């Protein structure tokens, strides 16, 4: 979604009206080797719509001028420094990154997707302009993967134009491939029967090894080139300032508005498939035109596609919505969209997760509070959220005053801090809140537990002195390692710095970023995870550290965040009494002024300065789970519904061999429930084998099968869900011993289901 957000940033409900001239389209005919799906339509249009040759004619004219300009550039020797500090000597405006890769090895040149020149992504076939540092990125590099999939989106765009004669909108890479949005002639709809034809055309495009050609164009020329595409027109007018220029890329007959860069040619994509299609709105705004969105995925070799399909199969088995339904954990209802109903077994997981954090809070010096769900809009105006976040809040009027449900807890915690005088001796003050939050997510964005409107967070805020910041963040890193390690997660760290739109002054921001850098460097030096920079992605009120966890399928999820905030304490005029003694006011005799007027006077201070003898605290925003709902979705898929014993909503199932031992079954259940274990029984009329099978399908960690012998000896026969060798009758274990083993397994929070 990042690429889409870049396009729509600053655009609020831009309505694109129908009625502009549509591209002329001549009747098509079926080309040789046409559609084999049974669809009577042609595989691709012949001839292509008139806007395509017009676009190419203008491109050829401007490209010739550009090539002449490049030919006039001075050819001087340049030094190109590689990652290993090896230096290659080249010529400005002639030597390309692709040429350098070929000098190193043929296999490297075939593997590298894109270059990075002095930190800027750079086409492999684009000439270098001066001495520089060169990095070579392959498909496995995150930036390389984005470029590869972005180039694949252009192939999809070309295939769509050749099949439909459509107006293309945007085609970004996404986390698992790419998509292209388009408006078909006469409001047409993409069908699943179009997938194979699109793949066939894409295969032809790939076989042709069409080069990706880059061209810088002025805004006026862009508007001329895309005169028949109202969507491109809107983006150009809104995103390209007057008198400036940007780039387009051509591959085959497709020319697209695009900053690039791209792979050298379409032949680099070895395998390409359409995955799904859906409807969407231009710029994601329901008031705009409805469009068609086609998703695809591609790889540099066929083996990776096969592995990806296996991954999709496994991901489908692990889908939290499927497991949630099968295990009766939660459900959603149309009468409260985006708000989860947690069923008893789902709430068991919820409560266990919360109890885990509460136990850690007690050890680490946190205090828990409860705050209101609803506030007057004046609170959000003070915090700045009303200006930046109002559209994502549920707002309403009460007695002619504007109110909103809280989407976050931080302003409320500021009110708690401010409600009485605070001393430096109280800091750091670590405050936790499990309050209910609401965010007005678009209905089309709602998705199971991963995107909801009503949720709870493990939200905490630390109020501390500037000198305590590094120590507190190091403590949070230890907290992260303990919690994520308990679930078997590894994690990555990214420092997100000042965004374009921010509150406060540059000096304060730089100080905040430096403190986070120091903490991250200390963590890495002590053997912790390495960190990366994420320029410009901080919150509007301060820089942050984003923590990304990796699950059993090696998927990355951002859950935790650590945000440093100097702005909210300023906005709410928060202060604490420092250790320094405030200067005593001078008497009237000392100043020559009236003694009554001087009594109790304080030196003048600015409106944003704290009271004399006081200082502003620093506020650290912190979450580890993030939202409980989303974290439960991640855990469900991570464990594939096979919960570790301590977190399991179904820990023990007790089954009788015969009705005569039902009383013992009930007694065993009572004993285990007294020790706060989730022990269930099945004394129904089903056969014992059916009861066992049902318990296995419900993923009980342990099944106790008891008969007369177990009753008489006060023992149990235990079947372990994850140990096939225990699925037949084994050794009898005394009841007390079984209890102690399971208590230990639960309280030590082991991941392995083993006693």
């Amino acid at each position: 979604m990042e690429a889409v957000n870049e396009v729509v940033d600053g655009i609020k409900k831009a309505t694109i009206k129908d009625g502009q001239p549509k591209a002329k389209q001549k009747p098509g005919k079926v080309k040789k080797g046409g559609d084999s799906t049974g669809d009577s339509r042609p595989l691709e249009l012949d001839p292509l719509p008139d806007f395509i040759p017009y676009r190419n004619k203008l491109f050829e004219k401007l490209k010739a001028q550009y090539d002449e300009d490049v030919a006039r550039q001075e050819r001087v020797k340049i030094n190109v420094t590689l990652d290993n500090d090896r230096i290659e000597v080249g010529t400005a405006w002639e030597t390309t990154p692709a040429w350098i890769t070929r000098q190193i090895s043929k296999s490297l040149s075939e593997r590298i997707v894109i270059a990075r020149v002095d930190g800027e992504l750079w086409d492999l076939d684009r000439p270098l302009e001066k001495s520089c540092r060169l990095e070579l990125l392959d498909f496995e590099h995150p930036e390389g993967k984005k470029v590869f999939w972005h180039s694949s989106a252009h192939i999809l765009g070309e295939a769509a134009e050749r099949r439909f004669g459509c107006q293309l909108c945007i085609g970004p890479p996404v986390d698992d491939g790419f998509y292209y949005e388009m408006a078909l002639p006469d409001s047409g709809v993409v069908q699943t029967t179009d997938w194979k034809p699109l793949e066939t055309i894409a295969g032809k495009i790939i076989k042709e090894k069409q080069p990706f050609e880059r061209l810088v164009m002025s805004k006026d020329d862009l508007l001329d080139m895309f005169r028949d595409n109202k969507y491109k027109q809107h983006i150009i007018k809104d995103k390209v300032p007057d008198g400036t220029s940007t780039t387009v890329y051509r591959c085959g007959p497709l020319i697209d508005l695009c900053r690039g860069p791209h792979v050298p040619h379409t032949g680099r994509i070895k395998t390409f498939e359409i995955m799904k299609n859906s409807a969407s709105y231009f710029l994601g705004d329901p008031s705009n035109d409805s469009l068609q969105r086609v998703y695809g995925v591609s790889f540099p070799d066929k083996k990776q596609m096969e592995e990806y399909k296996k991954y999709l199969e496994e991901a489908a088995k692990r889908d939290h919505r499927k497991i949630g339904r099968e295990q009766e954990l939660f459900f959603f209802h149309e009468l409260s969209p985006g708000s989860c109903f947690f069923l008893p077994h789902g709430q068991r997981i919820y409560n266990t997760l919360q109890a885990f954090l509460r136990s850690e809070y007690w050890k680490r010096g946190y205090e828990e509070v409860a705050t209101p769900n609803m506030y007057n809009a004046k609170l959000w105006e003070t915090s700045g959220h009303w200006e930046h976040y109002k559209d994502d809040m549920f707002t309403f009027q009460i007695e002619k005053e504007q109110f909103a449900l809280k989407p976050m807890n931080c302003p409320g915690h500021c009110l708690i801090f401010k409600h009485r005088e605070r001393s430096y001796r109280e800091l750091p003050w670590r405050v936790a809140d499990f309050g209910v939050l609401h965010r007005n997510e678009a209905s089309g964005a709602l998705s199971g537990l991963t995107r909801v409107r009503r949720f709870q967070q493990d939200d905490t805020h630390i109020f501390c002195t500037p000198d305590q910041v590094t120590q507190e963040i190091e403590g949070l890193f230890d907290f992260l390692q303990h919690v994520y390690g308990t679930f078997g997660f590894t994690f990555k760290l990214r420092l997100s710095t000042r965004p374009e739109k921010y509150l406060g002054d540059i000096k304060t921001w730089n100080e905040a970023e430096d403190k986070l850098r120091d903490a991250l460097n200390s963590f890495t030096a002590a053997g912790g995870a390495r960190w990366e920079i994420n320029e410009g992605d901080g919150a509007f009120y301060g820089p942050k550290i984003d923590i990304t966890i990796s699950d059993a399928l090696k998927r990355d999820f951002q859950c935790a965040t650590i945000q440093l905030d100097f702005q909210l304490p300023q906005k709410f005029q928060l202060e604490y009494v420092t250790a320094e003694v405030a200067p005593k006011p001078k008497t009237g005799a000392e100043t020559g002024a009236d003694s009554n007027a001087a009594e109790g006077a304080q030196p003048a201070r600015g409106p944003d300065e704290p009271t004399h003898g006081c200082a502003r605290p620093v506020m650290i925003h912190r979450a580890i789970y993030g939202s409980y709902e989303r974290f439960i979705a991640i855990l469900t898929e991570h464990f594939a519904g096979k919960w570790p014993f301590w977190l399991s909503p179904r820990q023990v199932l007790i089954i009788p061999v015969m009705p005569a031992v039902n009383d013992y079954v009930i007694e065993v259940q009572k004993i285990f429930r007294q020790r706060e274990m989730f022990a269930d029984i099945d004394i129904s009329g089903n056969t014992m084998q059916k009861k066992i099978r049902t318990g296995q399908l419900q993923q009980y960690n342990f099944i106790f099968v008891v008969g007369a012998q177990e009753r008489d000896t006060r023992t149990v026969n235990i079947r372990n869900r994850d140990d096939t060798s225990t699925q037949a009758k084994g050794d009898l274990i005394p009841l007390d011993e079984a209890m102690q083993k399971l208590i230990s397994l639960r309280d030590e929070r082991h991941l392995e289901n083993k006693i």
Side-chain angles (χ1 to χ4, degrees):
M1 287 298 293
E2 291 179 4
V4 183
N5 291 337
E6 289 176 5
V7 175
V8 303
D9 183 35
I11 302 174
K12 297 294 183 182
K13 300 196 174 184
T15 304
I16 309 299
K17 300 292 186 183
D18 286 322
Q20 295 191 21
K22 293 197 175 184
K24 293 179 181 178
Q25 181 176 320
K26 297 180 180 179
K29 60 182 180 182
V30 180
K31 284 193 171 184
K32 281 187 178 180
D35 187 357
S36 60
T37 64
D39 193 330
S40 60
R41 291 176 295 167
L43 175 65
E44 55 182 294
L45 301 174
D46 184 17
L48 293 171
D50 291 344
F51 69 81
I52 292 179
Y54 180 83
R55 221 169 41 188
N56 275 279
K57 184 177 179 181
L58 181 56
F59 184 94
E60 291 289 353
K61 173 187 170 184
L62 297 175
K63 184 68 163 59
Q65 295 173 4
Y66 174 78
D67 290 342
E68 289 176 5
D69 290 340
V70 171
R72 286 193 293 268
Q73 300 297 321
E74 184 180 2
R75 268 49 175 178
V76 296
K77 295 298 181 184
I78 58 174
N79 291 328
V80 182
T81 306
L82 303 179
D83 272 351
N84 58 2
D85 291 330
R86 169 178 169 177
I87 295 177
E88 290 284 343
V89 178
T91 304
W93 296 98
E94 286 184 2
T95 301
T96 65
W99 180 86
I100 291 175
T101 63
R102 289 193 293 270
Q103 305 314 300
I104 299 172
S105 76
K106 181 181 178 182
S107 62
L108 178 69
S109 68
E110 292 173 348
R111 191 176 76 251
I112 294 303
V113 170
I114 201 68
R116 190 154 53 190
V117 176
D118 290 337
E120 178 187 352
L121 290 176
W122 199 272
D123 299 285
L124 288 173
D125 286 332
R126 180 181 170 188
L128 300 170
E129 300 169 8
K130 58 184 177 63
S131 293
C132 60
R133 176 168 286 276
L134 176 67
E135 299 171 77
L136 302 171
L137 313 179
D138 61 14
F139 179 78
E140 298 308 319
H141 190 283
E143 294 291 348
K145 192 168 288 183
K146 283 182 183 177
V147 168
F148 190 91
W149 282 340
H150 189 188
S151 300
S152 301
H154 279 236
I155 292 173
L156 174 58
E158 180 184 338
E161 280 194 344
R162 287 167 61 169
R163 178 160 177 79
F164 305 121
C166 56
Q167 291 185 352
L168 296 177
C169 300
I170 56 174
V174 289
D175 290 342
D176 53 356
F178 52 90
Y179 70 78
Y180 223 116
E181 283 186 337
M182 60 198 74
L184 272 58
D186 302 319
S187 301
V189 176
V190 175
Q191 308 285 349
T192 55
T193 52
D194 290 309
W195 294 9
K196 184 63 177 176
L198 287 170
E199 290 173 352
T200 300
I201 300 170
K204 294 166 66 176
I205 295 167
I206 292 168
K207 189 174 181 180
E208 290 167 5
K209 295 185 178 180
Q210 299 171 356
F212 280 91
E213 301 174 273
R214 178 179 182 270
L215 180 63
V216 179
M217 293 181 61
S218 69
K219 182 173 183 177
D220 289 341
D221 285 334
L222 288 168
L223 290 171
D224 184 18
M225 175 173 280
F226 295 101
R227 63 182 188 177
D228 291 311
N229 188 321
K230 62 182 180 179
Y231 307 104
K232 301 290 186 186
Q233 288 266 324
H234 179 84
I235 294 170
I236 294 165
K237 290 175 182 176
D238 189 81
K239 303 302 292 184
V240 183
D242 292 342
T244 66
S245 59
T246 189
T247 54
V248 298
Y249 277 79
R250 176 170 75 171
C251 63
L254 174 73
I255 300 170
D256 202 5
L257 179 68
C258 177
R259 287 183 300 182
H262 286 283
V263 298
H265 58 78
T266 57
R268 286 297 189 94
I269 284 75
K270 301 301 182 184
T271 177
F272 176 107
E273 287 196 21
I274 305 297
M275 304 307 292
K276 61 180 179 179
N277 68 277
S278 65
S280 62
Y281 294 109
F282 181 54
L283 304 180
D285 189 337
S287 65
N288 286 342
D289 289 358
S290 178
L291 305 172
Q292 297 296 296
R293 181 182 289 184
V294 181
Y295 291 84
V297 71
S298 61
F299 293 96
D301 67 61
K302 293 182 179 179
K303 182 181 178 182
Q304 286 174 295
M305 180 66 84
E306 293 170 1
E307 291 172 349
Y308 179 71
K309 288 180 177 178
K310 290 179 182 177
Y311 155 81
L312 289 181
E313 291 175 6
E314 182 61 28
K317 294 176 187 175
R318 293 170 177 256
D319 190 314
H320 73 278
R321 292 163 295 190
K322 172 179 175 288
I323 292 172
R325 182 173 59 253
E326 292 171 348
Q327 295 189 2
E328 294 189 76
L329 303 179
F330 59 85
F331 73 94
F332 289 87
H333 197 281
E334 61 183 9
L335 294 182
S336 186
S339 299
C340 181
F341 289 78
F342 276 97
L343 297 167
H345 289 89
Q347 192 63 32
R348 289 177 177 181
I349 297 170
Y350 208 110
N351 292 343
T352 303
L353 289 172
Q354 201 167 86
F356 175 34
L357 278 189
R358 278 200 169 103
S359 68
E360 289 299 317
Y361 287 165
W362 181 256
K363 297 174 189 174
R364 297 171 187 269
Y366 286 79
E367 293 185 296
E368 190 175 337
V369 299
T371 50
N373 284 345
M374 180 178 69
Y375 291 93
N376 191 294
K378 293 172 184 175
L379 176 82
W380 310 109
E381 290 168 357
T382 300
S383 69
H385 289 97
W386 198 254
E387 177 185 356
H388 294 270
Y389 210 80
K390 177 184 176 184
D391 291 343
D392 296 313
M393 299 167 68
F394 287 102
T395 62
F396 43 89
Q397 280 199 338
I398 298 178
E399 297 178 349
K400 299 182 180 180
E401 292 274 351
Q402 193 79 3
F403 280 76
L405 294 177
K406 66 178 179 182
M408 66 277 296
N409 288 307
C410 33
H413 291 178
C414 288
L415 296 184
I416 294 178
F417 187 93
K418 191 177 181 179
H419 93 284
R420 67 166 174 81
E421 185 179 86
R422 300 282 175 178
S423 166
Y424 73 95
R425 293 186 179 89
E426 298 178 65
L427 305 183
W429 185 48
R430 308 179 187 103
V431 56
D433 194 331
F434 295 117
V436 174
L437 306 176
H438 288 85
R439 294 183 184 173
N440 190 10
E441 300 283 0
S443 58
L446 301 177
S447 179
L449 291 176
T450 59
R451 185 67 71 88
V452 292
R453 288 175 173 165
R454 185 266 188 205
F455 60 98
Q456 288 175 257
Q457 287 184 321
D458 63 318
D459 207 5
T460 67
H461 295 95
I462 301 172
F463 296 89
C464 62
T465 69
D467 292 341
Q468 294 169 334
V469 168
T470 301
Q471 173 186 326
E472 286 303 304
I473 291 177
E474 288 173 351
L476 291 177
F477 287 155
D478 178 74
F479 201 166
L480 285 169
Q481 282 187 307
H482 177 68
V483 171
Y484 287 156
T486 300
F487 296 108
F489 290 132
T490 58
F491 63 90
K492 305 171 189 173
L493 302 167
R494 292 192 304 171
L495 173 59
S496 297
T497 58
R498 185 180 67 251
E500 288 185 18
K501 297 180 180 180
Y502 62 92
L503 296 176
D505 60 87
I506 296 289
K507 181 176 180 292
T508 302
W509 271 87
N510 290 340
E511 290 174 357
E513 290 176 7
D514 287 343
K515 287 184 181 293
L516 292 183
R517 281 191 181 90
D518 291 344
L520 285 164
N521 288 332
S522 297
F523 179 64
T524 300
R530 295 183 64 83
W531 61 279
E532 299 176 352
I533 196 78
N534 186 21
E535 294 287 358
D537 200 40
F540 66 86
Y541 50 77
K544 60 179 180 173
I545 297 171
D546 292 322
I547 298 95
T548 303
I549 61 175
S550 183
D551 74 353
L553 294 182
K554 295 182 169 49
R555 298 175 298 185
D556 289 339
F557 300 94
Q558 185 193 324
C559 294
T561 184
I562 299 171
Q563 301 175 2
L564 204 56
D565 189 352
F566 290 84
Q567 309 304 328
L568 278 187
Q570 180 72 40
K571 286 178 169 294
F572 281 92
Q573 300 287 289
L574 305 184
E575 58 185 34
Y576 61 90
V577 178
T578 66
E580 299 176 5
V581 178
K584 292 182 179 179
K586 293 184 178 181
T587 65
E590 292 173 315
T591 63
D594 179 84
S595 60
N596 291 329
E599 182 106 25
Q602 294 285 341
R605 63 187 178 94
D608 293 331
E609 295 178 7
T611 305
H612 292 288
C614 296
R616 299 264 183 254
V618 179
M619 190 174 181
I620 302 174
H621 305 249
R622 187 242 69 185
I624 295 179
Y625 294 164
S627 87
Y628 276 86
E629 284 74 7
R630 184 166 178 267
F631 196 64
I632 289 172
I634 293 168
L635 289 175
T636 304
E637 298 184 4
H638 177 61
F639 294 122
K642 293 187 174 183
W643 302 95
F645 184 77
W646 73 272
L647 189 56
S648 177
R650 293 178 172 89
Q651 294 173 326
V652 177
L653 176 64
I654 309 158
I655 295 174
V657 173
M658 52 193 174
V661 296
N662 282 357
D663 288 345
Y664 182 59
V665 167
I666 295 170
E667 181 188 356
V668 171
Q669 180 195 29
K670 183 178 180 180
I671 291 171
F672 275 83
R673 287 181 66 85
Q674 285 174 344
R675 301 305 295 267
E676 297 183 353
M677 288 193 193
F678 299 129
D680 300 321
I681 62 175
D682 187 347
I683 54 176
S684 68
N686 291 327
T687 65
M688 185 183 74
Q689 289 305 320
K690 185 171 183 180
K691 293 175 184 178
I692 292 172
R693 181 57 181 157
T694 299
Q696 290 171 335
L697 292 174
Q698 292 175 328
Q699 300 298 340
Y700 278 91
N701 297 74
F702 298 98
I703 297 177
F704 294 178
V705 179
V706 298
Q709 185 180 4
E710 286 83 3
R711 178 195 59 195
D712 297 341
T713 58
R714 298 194 64 75
T715 57
V716 289
N717 178 45
I718 302 178
R719 297 179 181 229
N720 185 330
R721 179 193 66 195
D722 301 336
D723 185 353
T724 55
S725 67
T726 66
Q727 300 308 307
K729 183 170 182 177
D731 296 335
L732 302 185
I733 300 176
L735 197 56
D736 290 344
E737 181 183 339
M739 172 69 74
Q740 291 306 314
K741 286 179 180 293
L742 292 185
I743 288 175
S744 175
L745 184 63
R746 179 193 65 189
D747 293 351
E748 293 174 14
R749 298 190 179 92
H750 291 295
L751 287 175
E752 194 174 2
N753 203 53
K754 187 176 181 180
I755 58 173

